[in-house]
């Protein structure tokens, strides 16, 4: 799991981050709310102190000589007051009060900066209008109080977070147990076992994963079965020609008549050719089967057809079969995007097939048409054709219709089918024009 | 000795046919299951060599049909499918032996001889009647321990009669054993072969049952 993001760590980090964020937001709200409350309460105190002073000033100020009031509390250093006679003469003030007025003489609350200190000031006149009373408090008192509240709120978080982390780790681990169980189950699987995973006991969230996995298993299983079948078939198909070669060679060794011996040796050579052809076709099929994306380029079907016909014509003529190329008037030419090598292989297999199955003295027709941009190529023969019910089977591997001569590999049309697939072209099997024979048509979708 | 070879592969069938002919068998060769099934309902074969992967009717189906008619002809399966499962299936369907491709022609011939010997109910390798000993494997006949030169057909007639010692074989039955399908049966061929056999061995060996056929008397106690 190293180097990979851990689901547990992720869940844990997210949960802790969320908790911390909510806590901090709550603390912030509390802090600002508390500040507002302090402001209200402390402002009320200022106002009350001022009105007390106003009342006292009216009755007792005449009897007072001293200009300084005593200091009674540590916070008193931060609270100051001034009493001005008629707003001009400073009659009484607290020890820490400055000499200049704490604020302008307009009644009410105001904020002022004196000697670098922030003061909150309440100004009022006494009832007779003789004295101006100003009560002030240093603003940092309020800040200190609010800060200590915020710290008290946030401090538990420092201890709570590690504890929460521990508890969450346990919870997350327990919560993810079904996932661990699933992982173990998959890990301990026999690599051959492609049976579906049990979706019954799985948690809802991993169901899609299990379903996908099961579908993947099914696909892999099908592919493996197909490969196994193919290998078994291929082994079977290769054994028969080898058995034939061996049997013919043994017949040649024990033959008493010269003619018999030569016949057996010729047959052994024929068997070797057949085995070689089969091996080549197997390799070609394996190669085209493994193809993913192929390099494509514009290919002229007419050129490819002409080339392949020229290459195969001598063999066909030896069998008494003509190969004809039929092209409808094509404007524009039948150019398709494809891989020229694969298209040649496709056509070679189709023509080879047709020549094998058509009787001597008939013709194999290769035709290319361009019908409003739909380009198709077909190869037809005069052979016995394929019964309707077997049409679907003929591109299966090693399928040979009854009565076909044994020398075919049974793979030609499988190769053709695969090359058509790679070119996104469709493959159609129909009787040829004369009602018998087979016509194979490739339609290119461009 | 007439045998049926059922094999769809042209080259392999040709080789088996040629080899068995050399060994003195009359060989019919069928290339699909349906023809093989038809041949088996009409012709009296001494043994069948059967490929399993056949067109039209699978070898196993041919075998099942054969056994459903309670025909005791020995059957040797010849196939490229050689997993244990395939062998079990083949033997359970009524085969007597199994040979996987590619095989040795000598082994095929030996197994065929063994099948025919067992089917005749005789355990000895050599057939013996009186002073005559016949070795089917070596294609040899000894009379009083002296080798006797016989043509393949004479050998086949003698082999058939000795295998069925004590039973009368009709002329038609002997002809069927001697000639494969499509082979021209020479008239009086059996009479001619019997004639030569009597001359090369001794006249009393083969008895003519007039209007029925021929037989070799079994040894007392055999």
């Amino acid at each position: 799991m190293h180097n990979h993001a851990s689901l547990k760590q992720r869940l844990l980090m997210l949960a802790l981050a969320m908790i911390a964020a909510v806590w901090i937001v709550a603390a912030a709200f509390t802090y600002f709310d508390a500040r507002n409350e302090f402001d209200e309460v402390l402002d009320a105190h200022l106002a009350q102190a001022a009105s007390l002073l106003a009342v006292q000033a009216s009755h007792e100020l005449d009897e007072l000589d001293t200009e300084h009031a005593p200091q009674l509390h540590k916070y008193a250093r931060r609270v100051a007051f001034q009493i001005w006679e008629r707003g001009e003469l400073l009659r009484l003030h607290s020890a820490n009060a400055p000499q200049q007025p704490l604020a302008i003489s307009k009644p009410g609350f105001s904020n002022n900066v004196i000697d670098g200190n922030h003061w909150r000031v309440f100004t009022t006149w006494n009832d007779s209008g003789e004295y101006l009373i100003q009560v002030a408090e240093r603003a940092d008192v309020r800040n200190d109080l609010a800060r200590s509240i915020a710290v008290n709120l946030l401090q538990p978080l420092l201890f709570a977070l590690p504890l929460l982390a521990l508890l969450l780790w346990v919870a997350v681990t327990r919560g993810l147990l079904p996932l661990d169980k699933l992982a173990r189950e998959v890990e301990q699987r026999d690599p051959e076992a492609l049976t579906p995973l049990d979706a019954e006991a799985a948690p809802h969230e991993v169901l899609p994963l299990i379903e996908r996995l099961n579908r993947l298993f099914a696909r892999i299983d099908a592919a493996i079965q197909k490969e196994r079948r193919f290998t078994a078939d291929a082994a079977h198909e290769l054994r028969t020609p080898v058995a034939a070669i061996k049997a013919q060679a043994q017949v040649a060794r024990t033959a008493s008549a010269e003619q018999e011996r030569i016949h057996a040796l010729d047959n052994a050579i024929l068997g070797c050719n057949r085995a070689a052809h089969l091996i080549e076709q197997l390799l070609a099929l394996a190669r085209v089967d493994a193809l993913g994306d192929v390099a494509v380029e514009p290919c002229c079907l007419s050129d490819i057809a002409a080339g392949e016909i020229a290459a195969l014509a001598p063999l066909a003529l030896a069998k008494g079969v003509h190969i004809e190329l039929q092209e409808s008037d094509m404007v524009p030419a039948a150019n398709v995007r494809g891989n020229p090598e694969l298209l040649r292989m496709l056509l070679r297999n189709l023509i080879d097939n047709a020549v094998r199955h058509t009787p001597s003295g008939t013709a194999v027709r290769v035709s290319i048409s361009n019908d409003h941009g739909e380009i198709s190529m077909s190869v037809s023969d005069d052979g016995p054709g394929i019964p309707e019910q077997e049409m679907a089977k003929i591109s299966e591997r090693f399928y040979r219709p009854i009565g076909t001569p044994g020398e075919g590999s049974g793979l030609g049309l499988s190769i053709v089918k695969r090359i058509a697939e790679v070119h996104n072209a469709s493959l159609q099997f129909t009787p040829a024009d004369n009602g018998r024979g087979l016509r194979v048509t490739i339609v290119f979708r461009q | 000795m007439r045998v049926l070879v059922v094999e769809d592969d042209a080259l392999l069938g040709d080789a088996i046919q040629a080899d068995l002919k050399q060994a003195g068998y009359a060989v019919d060769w069928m290339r699909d299951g349906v023809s093989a099934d038809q041949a088996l309902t009409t012709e009296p074969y001494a043994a069948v060599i059967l490929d399993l992967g056949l067109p039209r009717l699978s070898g196993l189906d041919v075998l099942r049909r054969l056994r459903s008619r309670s025909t005791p002809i020995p059957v040797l399966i010849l196939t490229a499918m050689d997993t244990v499962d395939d062998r079990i299936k083949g033997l359970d369907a009524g085969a007597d032996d199994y040979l996987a491709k590619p095989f040795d022609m000598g082994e095929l011939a030996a197994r065929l001889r063994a099948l025919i010997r067992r089917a005749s109910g005789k355990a000895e390798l050599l057939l013996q009647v009186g002073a005559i000993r016949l070795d089917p494997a070596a294609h040899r006949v000894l009379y009083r321990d002296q080798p006797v030169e016989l043509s393949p057909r004479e050998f086949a007639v003698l082999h058939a009669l000795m295998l069925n010692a004590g039973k009368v074989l009709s002329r038609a039955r002997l002809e069927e054993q001697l000639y494969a399908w499509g082979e021209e049966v020479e008239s009086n061929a059996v009479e001619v072969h019997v004639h030569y056999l009597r001359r090369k061995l001794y006249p009393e060996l083969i008895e003519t049952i007039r209007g029925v056929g021929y037989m070799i008397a079994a040894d007392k106690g055999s």
Side-chain angles (χ1 to χ4, degrees), chain A residues 235-237 239-248 250-257 260 263-264 267-268 270-272 274 400 402-403 406, chain B residues 7-16 18-22 31-32 51 53 55-56 79-83 100-107:
Chain A
H236 175 248
E237 294 288 329
R239 270 186 190 144
T240 301
V242 171
I245 294 165
K246 186 172 175 181
Q248 293 284 1
Q250 288 181 330
V251 168
R253 203 175 52 184
T254 56
S256 43
E260 215 177 312
H263 172 78
N267 274 344
L270 202 63
C272 288
R274 218 176 66 189
R400 293 189 198 88
I402 301 149
Chain B
E7 168 60 61
D8 63 329
D9 185 84
L11 289 180
L12 186 57
D14 176 84
I16 296 171
D19 189 75
L20 294 182
K21 264 187 182 164
Q22 261 178 33
R31 301 171 72 151
D32 68 83
D51 181 26
R56 295 172 78 190
T79 180
M81 288 174 273
D82 69 336
T83 63
K101 294 178 191 174
F103 53 87
D104 192 276
M105 283 306 299
E107 186 183 358

Side-chain angles (χ1 to χ4, degrees), chain B residues 156-189:
Chain B
V157 170
L158 183 63
H159 190 191
L161 287 170
M162 283 179 78
L163 265 183
N164 296 286
K167 289 180 219 149
V168 181
L169 294 184
S170 70
R171 214 180 82 175
R173 175 80 194 279
L174 281 170
E175 273 173 0
E176 282 169 353
Q177 293 287 325
L178 289 182
Y179 296 95
W181 261 3
E183 271 185 307
E184 186 110 8
V185 181
E186 301 148 62
S187 61
N188 296 332

Side-chain angles (χ1 to χ4, degrees), chain B residues 5 28 33 66 79 86 141 156-157 174 181:
Chain B
V5 173
D28 285 342
L66 178 72
T79 180
D86 290 323
V141 174
V157 170
L174 281 170
W181 261 3

Side-chain angles (χ1 to χ4, degrees), chain B residues 93-196:
Chain B
D96 298 276
D97 203 355
Y98 203 105
L99 201 54
K101 294 178 191 174
F103 53 87
D104 192 276
M105 283 306 299
E107 186 183 358
L108 177 68
R111 282 175 188 263
L112 192 62
R113 280 195 298 275
L115 285 180
I116 292 170
R117 187 174 67 235
R118 252 180 276 150
S120 70
K122 296 198 166 42
E124 309 88 29
L125 289 172
L126 299 180
L127 296 172
Q128 184 157 13
V129 172
I132 297 168
R133 271 186 295 161
L134 182 143
D135 182 350
H139 255 252
R140 228 156 40 126
V141 174
L142 299 175
Y143 177 49
R144 292 183 176 145
D145 295 328
Q146 294 302 308
V148 182
E149 283 294 319
L150 295 181
S151 77
R153 290 238 156 98
E154 286 161 8
F155 181 88
V157 170
L158 183 63
H159 190 191
L161 287 170
M162 283 179 78
L163 265 183
N164 296 286
K167 289 180 219 149
V168 181
L169 294 184
S170 70
R171 214 180 82 175
R173 175 80 194 279
L174 281 170
E175 273 173 0
E176 282 169 353
Q177 293 287 325
L178 289 182
Y179 296 95
W181 261 3
E183 271 185 307
E184 186 110 8
V185 181
E186 301 148 62
S187 61
N188 296 332
V190 174
E191 279 94 332
V192 172
H193 296 319
V194 167
H195 170 77
Y196 279 111

Side-chain angles (χ1 to χ4, degrees), chain A residues 72-91:
Chain A
L72 297 173
H73 189 267
K74 63 170 179 154
Y75 268 0
R77 281 184 50 77
R78 295 174 173 204
V79 181
F81 67 86
Q82 293 173 329
I83 298 175
W84 301 83
E85 198 174 334
R86 270 178 240 73
E88 288 161 6
L89 180 66
L90 184 59
R91 280 293 305 272

